[in-house]
Amino acid sequence: MKKKERLLKYRQGDVYIFAVEKTDYNFKQVSSKVLAYGEVTGHSHQIVTEKGLIGVAEIKGQLYLRITDQNAMVKHEEHYHINLPPGDYKVIIQREYDPVQYQRSVMD
Amino acid sequence: MDKLKLTKEQIDLIGSIVTQDWLNNFVQPEESSIEAIRVGIDYIYGLFGLKKPITIVVDSPFAGHLALNFLLNTFNTFECSVRQRVSNQTSNRVAVEGSNEILELTTDIIFYSYRIWEQVWEQADEQFKKQIWEQAVAQVEQPFLEQASDPAWKKFLAQVAQIKKHFLKLSDEEIYEDICKINEETFPREAGLEYWQPWEENDEPDWEQSDEQFWEQSDELSLEPSDQGLHGEGDEFFLEQSTQWTFDENGQIVLLEQSNEQLLEWCERSFWCRFEEQFWEQFFLEVRGYFIERVVDECGVYAHDQVLRPIHRQVNEEEWLGFIQAGEEVKKQVLAQVRKQMEEQIIIEFHKPVEKQALEQAWRQKKAQEKRSPHSTFSYLEMDTYKSIILYEFFARLGAINREELNKLTNVVKAVGTGIYGFIHLKGLCIVSTLPKLLRDERKRPHSLDQAAVKWADGYGLHFINGVYFPKELWTALTSKTITAQEVLRIANTEQKAIAIKLFGYAELLKESKSTVISRETVNINGQLKVYEVIETDLGDDRLPARFVKVVCWSTLKETLLRVDPRNEQTLDPIGAIAWTAGLTKEEYLMAIET
């Protein structure tokens, strides 16, 4: 049985970033990317880099990042910055239970 | 039918594509395009074998009521009451027999209205024309007669007299010589033409036709009478002008100038058409009539058209120009005076009362309908129609439904998707209300915490938070934070309650309700020991008690309550509950190193 690998996880507020094994996705290069907006404040979790670009791929609604720059970081107005070392990442936005959506999905 | 051999993934994929395609149809366009709407309405009418209607596009259902009432009041109260009865009958029929399916809905309403209203429409149309024309004439006749003593009119008459004098200077012999010469040129004897009797016996020419031919040939003198006027334009004018109405916050009309301007232009045009008859009669009487007699005597009626044209050339060019200019001056001054009088008389005495009456009626309807269901006069697609069509489309793409037949239905919905909120459809006339302004959240659901998320130009609005409708009073209490925890917990509608609870704040509500700690776990956060808890309480917005995990933010160290799925056993444990918020199992979550 293959030994489970411990993955690096980052969390900033309601954004989780998991390091994943190198993927073969087709990444689009951008200079920055907003990962999520705050519901009330309008603040955003944004990944930026001093130089170079960030690879972004959306696979079946799932956001993946490819970091090649040593100075990439996730910024937010209220949280500590998080430095992301080069590698591929999966971004997950924290979910909450929504009884309205649940009821609607049950009815449908 | 063969059993469809598709995997669940393929079916899910088709389902999501169909849904997205139709969402794009419904959500777009942001702004309604009048041209696109008219094409859409023409398509719908055409589909049911109806002629393309005159389509009035207004920016709210209230404006639509107003436009309709304006038209109905313009006809008269009899037709108005008949239309009302017809409308009530058809609405009742549709309510009883109708279904949510667009084909039935649309055909029922269109054809019920069509059949019954058809009998009324032509009468109303005729009476409308007669009414506006009689009123316009009544207002214009006297000013016109007064123009007869106007300096411009006198100058014109003087010019006519000058031309007449020129002709009169010619002796009978000179005129006779002219005529003979012209006849010779026009009907050369060597060609064997019998100019004095160019038609066969019992085959007399159409006198009016030959007269028209003459004036067509005189176009270099710009003498042809205008053919502008009433012909088929009066009704269109009134229908089109209502598109110019705009409304303030209370639904009151704030701009009618443009429509008034059109009314004036229409009346001026109609008047000028009438005036021109007298204008040219005067000329014919004074000048042409004199020669017609002479020429007809000499060379026959048919030839006189050919003869008169060169004779006009004998008149001094300057005199002709003076004559034309004098005529233009008369027209200008007459119309200026007519306009001034009509502005005060026609607009105030005719337009304003109708407008006032229409406004009052529309306002009463609006109020009455708000008590029942908003905008019920309008036909519009129910949400169930959209759901149904997505379902049909899904099966059509799977090959289970005949595409050709379904296209008729989808095209109707697409036509409505051009930006139509609803429409009142009558024979030859369709009043369309465009879509309201819509504010959405990031998931494109109607949403606003600052104002009505769905708002029409007439001021009517609907309040939504994250796609859930709220009565205005409740929405105001929530957004202004004047609602109490107990009031939130007493909200009967579970959807509204769930939104209200989230907006109010879980922590505050938990203080007001009995809660139970299900489990605890101590966590070391940056050297500080913090307790994570799973808490349950009955908020009444779900069938199961609400379950929360109380966590601490690693960077801000603020405590936060995250609501988790109470049906998932993993969420009974704080770490499992946190893992659930990331879409992971507890094991997967623990495998990752949190930084």
Short mmCIF file of all heavy atoms in Angstrom, two decimals, chain B residues 123-159:
data_model
loop_
_atom_site.label_atom_id
_atom_site.label_comp_id
_atom_site.label_asym_id
_atom_site.label_seq_id
_atom_site.Cartn_x
_atom_site.Cartn_y
_atom_site.Cartn_z
N GLN B 123 -63.90 49.35 -34.81
CA GLN B 123 -64.77 50.47 -34.45
C GLN B 123 -64.00 51.50 -33.66
O GLN B 123 -64.09 52.70 -33.90
CB GLN B 123 -65.92 49.98 -33.57
CG GLN B 123 -66.88 49.06 -34.26
CD GLN B 123 -67.91 48.56 -33.26
OE1 GLN B 123 -68.38 49.32 -32.44
NE2 GLN B 123 -68.22 47.28 -33.31
N ALA B 124 -63.25 51.01 -32.71
CA ALA B 124 -62.51 51.92 -31.85
C ALA B 124 -61.49 52.70 -32.65
O ALA B 124 -61.32 53.91 -32.47
CB ALA B 124 -61.81 51.13 -30.75
N ASP B 125 -60.85 52.00 -33.57
CA ASP B 125 -59.82 52.64 -34.39
C ASP B 125 -60.43 53.77 -35.20
O ASP B 125 -59.91 54.88 -35.26
CB ASP B 125 -59.22 51.57 -35.31
CG ASP B 125 -58.00 52.09 -36.04
OD1 ASP B 125 -57.20 52.79 -35.41
OD2 ASP B 125 -57.88 51.80 -37.23
N GLU B 126 -61.57 53.48 -35.83
CA GLU B 126 -62.24 54.49 -36.64
C GLU B 126 -62.65 55.69 -35.79
O GLU B 126 -62.48 56.84 -36.16
CB GLU B 126 -63.49 53.89 -37.31
CG GLU B 126 -63.17 53.04 -38.53
CD GLU B 126 -62.40 53.82 -39.57
OE1 GLU B 126 -62.84 54.94 -39.93
OE2 GLU B 126 -61.34 53.34 -40.01
N GLN B 127 -63.21 55.37 -34.63
CA GLN B 127 -63.70 56.45 -33.78
C GLN B 127 -62.55 57.29 -33.26
O GLN B 127 -62.67 58.50 -33.08
CB GLN B 127 -64.49 55.88 -32.61
CG GLN B 127 -65.77 55.24 -33.08
CD GLN B 127 -66.79 55.14 -31.97
OE1 GLN B 127 -66.67 55.85 -30.98
NE2 GLN B 127 -67.75 54.28 -32.14
N PHE B 128 -61.46 56.62 -33.02
CA PHE B 128 -60.28 57.35 -32.54
C PHE B 128 -59.84 58.36 -33.59
O PHE B 128 -59.62 59.53 -33.30
CB PHE B 128 -59.16 56.35 -32.27
CG PHE B 128 -57.79 56.95 -32.26
CD1 PHE B 128 -57.42 57.85 -31.28
CD2 PHE B 128 -56.88 56.63 -33.25
CE1 PHE B 128 -56.16 58.41 -31.27
CE2 PHE B 128 -55.63 57.18 -33.26
CZ PHE B 128 -55.27 58.08 -32.26
N LYS B 129 -59.73 57.90 -34.83
CA LYS B 129 -59.30 58.79 -35.90
C LYS B 129 -60.28 59.95 -36.06
O LYS B 129 -59.89 61.10 -36.22
CB LYS B 129 -59.19 58.03 -37.21
CG LYS B 129 -57.94 57.22 -37.35
CD LYS B 129 -57.92 56.52 -38.68
CE LYS B 129 -56.65 55.68 -38.81
NZ LYS B 129 -56.69 54.81 -39.97
N LYS B 130 -61.56 59.60 -36.03
CA LYS B 130 -62.59 60.61 -36.21
C LYS B 130 -62.50 61.65 -35.09
O LYS B 130 -62.55 62.86 -35.32
CB LYS B 130 -63.96 59.93 -36.20
CG LYS B 130 -65.09 60.81 -36.64
CD LYS B 130 -66.40 60.03 -36.60
CE LYS B 130 -67.56 60.99 -36.83
NZ LYS B 130 -68.84 60.37 -36.50
N GLN B 131 -62.32 61.13 -33.88
CA GLN B 131 -62.29 62.01 -32.71
C GLN B 131 -61.12 62.98 -32.78
O GLN B 131 -61.28 64.19 -32.62
CB GLN B 131 -62.18 61.15 -31.44
CG GLN B 131 -62.35 61.96 -30.17
CD GLN B 131 -62.24 61.08 -28.95
OE1 GLN B 131 -61.90 59.91 -29.06
NE2 GLN B 131 -62.50 61.63 -27.80
N ILE B 132 -59.94 62.45 -33.05
CA ILE B 132 -58.76 63.32 -33.05
C ILE B 132 -58.84 64.30 -34.21
O ILE B 132 -58.52 65.47 -34.08
CB ILE B 132 -57.45 62.49 -33.11
CG1 ILE B 132 -56.22 63.40 -33.17
CG2 ILE B 132 -57.42 61.53 -34.27
CD1 ILE B 132 -56.02 64.26 -31.97
N TRP B 133 -59.36 63.81 -35.35
CA TRP B 133 -59.43 64.69 -36.51
C TRP B 133 -60.43 65.82 -36.27
O TRP B 133 -60.15 66.99 -36.54
CB TRP B 133 -59.79 63.88 -37.75
CG TRP B 133 -60.01 64.72 -38.97
CD1 TRP B 133 -61.12 64.82 -39.73
CD2 TRP B 133 -59.05 65.59 -39.58
NE1 TRP B 133 -60.94 65.70 -40.75
CE2 TRP B 133 -59.67 66.19 -40.68
CE3 TRP B 133 -57.74 65.93 -39.28
CZ2 TRP B 133 -59.03 67.11 -41.50
CZ3 TRP B 133 -57.09 66.85 -40.10
CH2 TRP B 133 -57.73 67.43 -41.19
N GLU B 134 -61.59 65.48 -35.73
CA GLU B 134 -62.60 66.50 -35.49
C GLU B 134 -62.09 67.54 -34.50
O GLU B 134 -62.31 68.74 -34.67
CB GLU B 134 -63.89 65.86 -34.96
CG GLU B 134 -64.68 65.16 -36.08
CD GLU B 134 -65.90 64.45 -35.55
OE1 GLU B 134 -66.08 64.41 -34.32
OE2 GLU B 134 -66.67 63.93 -36.38
N GLN B 135 -61.40 67.06 -33.48
CA GLN B 135 -60.89 68.01 -32.50
C GLN B 135 -59.80 68.88 -33.10
O GLN B 135 -59.74 70.09 -32.84
CB GLN B 135 -60.36 67.27 -31.28
CG GLN B 135 -61.47 66.54 -30.56
CD GLN B 135 -61.15 66.37 -29.08
OE1 GLN B 135 -60.53 67.23 -28.49
NE2 GLN B 135 -61.58 65.28 -28.50
N ALA B 136 -58.95 68.27 -33.89
CA ALA B 136 -57.86 69.04 -34.50
C ALA B 136 -58.43 70.09 -35.44
O ALA B 136 -58.03 71.25 -35.42
CB ALA B 136 -56.91 68.11 -35.25
N VAL B 137 -59.41 69.68 -36.25
CA VAL B 137 -60.01 70.61 -37.21
C VAL B 137 -60.70 71.75 -36.47
O VAL B 137 -60.57 72.93 -36.83
CB VAL B 137 -61.01 69.87 -38.13
CG1 VAL B 137 -61.86 70.86 -38.91
CG2 VAL B 137 -60.26 68.97 -39.08
N ALA B 138 -61.40 71.38 -35.41
CA ALA B 138 -62.11 72.41 -34.64
C ALA B 138 -61.15 73.45 -34.10
O ALA B 138 -61.46 74.64 -34.05
CB ALA B 138 -62.89 71.75 -33.50
N GLN B 139 -59.98 72.99 -33.72
CA GLN B 139 -59.01 73.92 -33.15
C GLN B 139 -58.29 74.73 -34.22
O GLN B 139 -57.79 75.81 -33.97
CB GLN B 139 -57.97 73.16 -32.32
CG GLN B 139 -58.54 72.35 -31.18
CD GLN B 139 -59.27 73.20 -30.17
OE1 GLN B 139 -58.95 74.36 -29.98
NE2 GLN B 139 -60.26 72.62 -29.51
N VAL B 140 -58.22 74.17 -35.41
CA VAL B 140 -57.38 74.77 -36.44
C VAL B 140 -58.17 75.65 -37.41
O VAL B 140 -57.66 76.61 -37.95
CB VAL B 140 -56.66 73.64 -37.22
CG1 VAL B 140 -56.00 74.18 -38.47
CG2 VAL B 140 -55.63 72.99 -36.31
N GLU B 141 -59.43 75.32 -37.60
CA GLU B 141 -60.23 75.98 -38.62
C GLU B 141 -60.24 77.50 -38.45
O GLU B 141 -59.96 78.25 -39.39
CB GLU B 141 -61.66 75.44 -38.58
CG GLU B 141 -62.48 75.76 -39.80
CD GLU B 141 -62.05 74.92 -41.00
OE1 GLU B 141 -61.96 73.71 -40.88
OE2 GLU B 141 -61.78 75.54 -42.05
N GLN B 142 -60.55 77.93 -37.26
CA GLN B 142 -60.67 79.36 -37.01
C GLN B 142 -59.33 80.08 -37.21
O GLN B 142 -59.29 81.10 -37.91
CB GLN B 142 -61.23 79.60 -35.61
CG GLN B 142 -61.58 81.06 -35.31
CD GLN B 142 -62.58 81.64 -36.31
OE1 GLN B 142 -63.44 80.93 -36.82
NE2 GLN B 142 -62.42 82.92 -36.64
N PRO B 143 -58.23 79.54 -36.60
CA PRO B 143 -56.94 80.20 -36.85
C PRO B 143 -56.63 80.30 -38.34
O PRO B 143 -56.11 81.30 -38.80
CB PRO B 143 -55.93 79.29 -36.16
CG PRO B 143 -56.72 78.60 -35.12
CD PRO B 143 -58.10 78.45 -35.66
N PHE B 144 -57.01 79.27 -39.08
CA PHE B 144 -56.71 79.32 -40.51
C PHE B 144 -57.48 80.45 -41.19
O PHE B 144 -56.93 81.19 -41.99
CB PHE B 144 -57.06 77.99 -41.17
CG PHE B 144 -57.10 78.07 -42.66
CD1 PHE B 144 -55.91 78.21 -43.37
CD2 PHE B 144 -58.29 78.06 -43.35
CE1 PHE B 144 -55.93 78.32 -44.75
CE2 PHE B 144 -58.32 78.17 -44.73
CZ PHE B 144 -57.14 78.29 -45.43
N LEU B 145 -58.75 80.53 -40.86
CA LEU B 145 -59.56 81.57 -41.48
C LEU B 145 -59.01 82.95 -41.14
O LEU B 145 -59.04 83.87 -41.96
CB LEU B 145 -61.02 81.45 -41.01
CG LEU B 145 -61.73 80.19 -41.53
CD1 LEU B 145 -63.12 80.08 -40.92
CD2 LEU B 145 -61.79 80.17 -43.05
N GLU B 146 -58.47 83.07 -39.93
CA GLU B 146 -57.89 84.35 -39.53
C GLU B 146 -56.66 84.68 -40.36
O GLU B 146 -56.30 85.84 -40.53
CB GLU B 146 -57.55 84.33 -38.04
CG GLU B 146 -58.80 84.39 -37.16
CD GLU B 146 -58.48 84.14 -35.71
OE1 GLU B 146 -57.28 84.03 -35.38
OE2 GLU B 146 -59.43 84.05 -34.91
N GLN B 147 -56.02 83.62 -40.85
CA GLN B 147 -54.82 83.87 -41.64
C GLN B 147 -55.13 84.57 -42.96
O GLN B 147 -54.25 85.16 -43.58
CB GLN B 147 -54.11 82.55 -41.96
CG GLN B 147 -53.65 81.79 -40.75
CD GLN B 147 -52.79 82.64 -39.86
OE1 GLN B 147 -51.89 83.31 -40.35
NE2 GLN B 147 -53.07 82.65 -38.57
N ALA B 148 -56.39 84.50 -43.36
CA ALA B 148 -56.76 85.08 -44.64
C ALA B 148 -56.47 86.58 -44.68
O ALA B 148 -56.26 87.16 -45.74
CB ALA B 148 -58.22 84.80 -44.93
N SER B 149 -56.49 87.22 -43.54
CA SER B 149 -56.22 88.66 -43.51
C SER B 149 -54.78 88.94 -43.06
O SER B 149 -54.40 90.07 -42.84
CB SER B 149 -57.20 89.36 -42.57
OG SER B 149 -57.08 88.81 -41.28
N ASP B 150 -54.02 87.87 -42.90
CA ASP B 150 -52.65 88.04 -42.45
C ASP B 150 -51.80 88.69 -43.54
O ASP B 150 -52.04 88.46 -44.73
CB ASP B 150 -52.09 86.66 -42.10
CG ASP B 150 -50.72 86.77 -41.49
OD1 ASP B 150 -50.64 86.96 -40.26
OD2 ASP B 150 -49.75 86.69 -42.25
N PRO B 151 -50.78 89.49 -43.18
CA PRO B 151 -49.92 90.12 -44.20
C PRO B 151 -49.30 89.11 -45.16
O PRO B 151 -49.19 89.38 -46.35
CB PRO B 151 -48.85 90.82 -43.35
CG PRO B 151 -49.49 91.04 -42.03
CD PRO B 151 -50.45 89.93 -41.83
N ALA B 152 -48.87 87.97 -44.62
CA ALA B 152 -48.25 86.97 -45.48
C ALA B 152 -49.23 86.46 -46.53
O ALA B 152 -48.88 86.25 -47.69
CB ALA B 152 -47.73 85.82 -44.64
N TRP B 153 -50.47 86.26 -46.08
CA TRP B 153 -51.51 85.78 -47.00
C TRP B 153 -51.78 86.83 -48.07
O TRP B 153 -51.92 86.51 -49.24
CB TRP B 153 -52.77 85.46 -46.19
CG TRP B 153 -53.90 84.94 -47.02
CD1 TRP B 153 -55.08 85.56 -47.29
CD2 TRP B 153 -53.96 83.70 -47.70
NE1 TRP B 153 -55.87 84.80 -48.08
CE2 TRP B 153 -55.21 83.63 -48.36
CE3 TRP B 153 -53.07 82.62 -47.83
CZ2 TRP B 153 -55.59 82.54 -49.12
CZ3 TRP B 153 -53.49 81.54 -48.59
CH2 TRP B 153 -54.71 81.49 -49.22
N LYS B 154 -51.80 88.08 -47.62
CA LYS B 154 -52.04 89.16 -48.57
C LYS B 154 -50.91 89.22 -49.61
O LYS B 154 -51.15 89.43 -50.79
CB LYS B 154 -52.14 90.49 -47.82
CG LYS B 154 -53.47 90.65 -47.09
CD LYS B 154 -53.54 91.99 -46.39
CE LYS B 154 -54.89 92.13 -45.69
NZ LYS B 154 -54.90 93.28 -44.79
N LYS B 155 -49.69 89.02 -49.12
CA LYS B 155 -48.55 89.05 -50.03
C LYS B 155 -48.67 87.91 -51.05
O LYS B 155 -48.39 88.08 -52.24
CB LYS B 155 -47.26 88.91 -49.23
CG LYS B 155 -46.00 89.13 -50.04
CD LYS B 155 -44.78 89.01 -49.17
CE LYS B 155 -43.52 89.06 -50.04
NZ LYS B 155 -42.32 88.79 -49.24
N PHE B 156 -49.10 86.80 -50.56
CA PHE B 156 -49.28 85.65 -51.44
C PHE B 156 -50.33 85.95 -52.51
O PHE B 156 -50.13 85.69 -53.69
CB PHE B 156 -49.69 84.44 -50.60
CG PHE B 156 -50.18 83.28 -51.41
CD1 PHE B 156 -49.30 82.51 -52.15
CD2 PHE B 156 -51.53 82.95 -51.44
CE1 PHE B 156 -49.75 81.44 -52.90
CE2 PHE B 156 -51.99 81.89 -52.20
CZ PHE B 156 -51.09 81.12 -52.93
N LEU B 157 -51.44 86.50 -52.05
CA LEU B 157 -52.50 86.82 -52.99
C LEU B 157 -52.02 87.84 -54.02
O LEU B 157 -52.38 87.78 -55.20
CB LEU B 157 -53.72 87.35 -52.25
CG LEU B 157 -54.47 86.33 -51.37
CD1 LEU B 157 -55.67 86.99 -50.70
CD2 LEU B 157 -54.93 85.13 -52.20
N ALA B 158 -51.18 88.76 -53.56
CA ALA B 158 -50.64 89.78 -54.47
C ALA B 158 -49.78 89.12 -55.55
O ALA B 158 -49.82 89.52 -56.72
CB ALA B 158 -49.83 90.79 -53.68
N GLN B 159 -49.01 88.11 -55.12
CA GLN B 159 -48.18 87.40 -56.09
C GLN B 159 -49.04 86.66 -57.10
O GLN B 159 -48.73 86.62 -58.29
CB GLN B 159 -47.26 86.41 -55.36
CG GLN B 159 -46.15 87.06 -54.56
CD GLN B 159 -45.09 87.67 -55.47
OE1 GLN B 159 -45.00 87.36 -56.65
NE2 GLN B 159 -44.30 88.58 -54.91
#
